[in-house]
Amino acid sequence: MDDINDLAKRVADTVLRSQQVRRDIEKTRIALRLWIPSETELVPIRRAICHPLLGGILRKDPQRDVPGPNFPLNSLRLAISKGHLVCIWKAEKQYVTPAALRDWLGLSEGERRTSRVIQYQPPATKTNYEKQKGGASVANASAKLLSMKAALAKKRGK
């Protein structure tokens, strides 16, 4: 009877371990899931160096991205500053699209000498708190200016 109880306990332990291994495998599978953005989807420039077009691997989890070996972040920034790579500014951050990366990689040396327009996307509208804060600072500056004018007029009047 003891042998059967020991066997049952070992089987139960094995089942628990296998369930834990399955959960760990599922977590790893989810973490390593690939992300392939559409041609018009905005990709942050820090993640763009990991795009498959540049030899990297983009994952759903940004911490697990693998950058390509040939294009560091500075090469993308240099291409943007020269006007070869079209960049979109949004909330003071740089974004590129896979279509822009594909165009940049397809340029010949002669085409790279002509510049392109960099698109600018204005920041989102201000919240009420930000508007009130801005209004208060303008009011403070105006009050100081008026007091300075009054002091100057008083000084001139003497």
Side-chain angles (χ1 to χ4, degrees):
M1 229 22 185
D2 288 337
D3 291 339
I4 292 174
N5 289 337
D6 290 341
L7 181 62
K9 186 177 179 184
R10 283 186 285 173
V11 168
D13 290 342
T14 304
V15 168
L16 286 175
R17 279 188 305 218
S18 66
Q19 289 173 346
Q20 181 61 40
V21 167
R22 283 184 186 156
R23 283 193 293 270
D24 291 345
I25 289 173
E26 183 63 21
K27 286 179 187 175
T28 304
R29 188 181 68 77
I30 289 171
L32 296 178
R33 189 174 292 156
L34 294 178
W35 174 49
I36 311 251
S38 66
E39 287 294 308
T40 57
E41 190 171 354
L42 295 178
V43 179
I45 193 159
R46 291 198 174 275
R47 292 193 72 192
I49 59 172
C50 302
H51 197 281
L53 288 171
L54 303 178
I57 300 171
L58 276 174
R59 305 228 186 255
K60 291 279 185 183
D61 181 12
Q63 295 176 346
R64 299 194 184 272
D65 287 346
V66 178
N70 299 326
F71 296 98
L73 185 60
N74 285 339
S75 66
L76 294 183
R77 287 195 172 136
L78 180 65
I80 289 169
S81 69
K82 287 185 175 182
H84 302 158
L85 177 60
V86 177
C87 152
I88 296 171
W89 286 87
K90 186 174 180 182
E92 299 181 13
K93 293 183 181 174
Q94 290 178 316
Y95 293 87
V96 294
T97 62
L101 287 174
R102 192 179 314 279
D103 290 345
W104 174 59
L105 291 173
L107 290 177
S108 67
E109 189 61 37
E111 291 173 324
R112 287 188 180 159
R113 293 176 193 227
T114 61
S115 64
R116 295 183 179 191
V117 176
I118 296 177
Q119 299 175 2
Y120 173 75
Q121 195 165 9
T125 58
K126 294 182 178 180
T127 64
N128 285 336
Y129 174 73
E130 291 170 336
K131 289 177 184 176
Q132 290 172 354
K133 189 177 174 184
S137 65
V138 168
N140 287 341
S142 297
K144 285 183 182 179
L145 185 60
L146 287 174
S147 68
M148 288 171 60
K149 283 183 180 179
L152 185 61
K154 199 179 216 185
K155 190 176 185 179
R156 284 185 184 167
K158 287 185 177 182

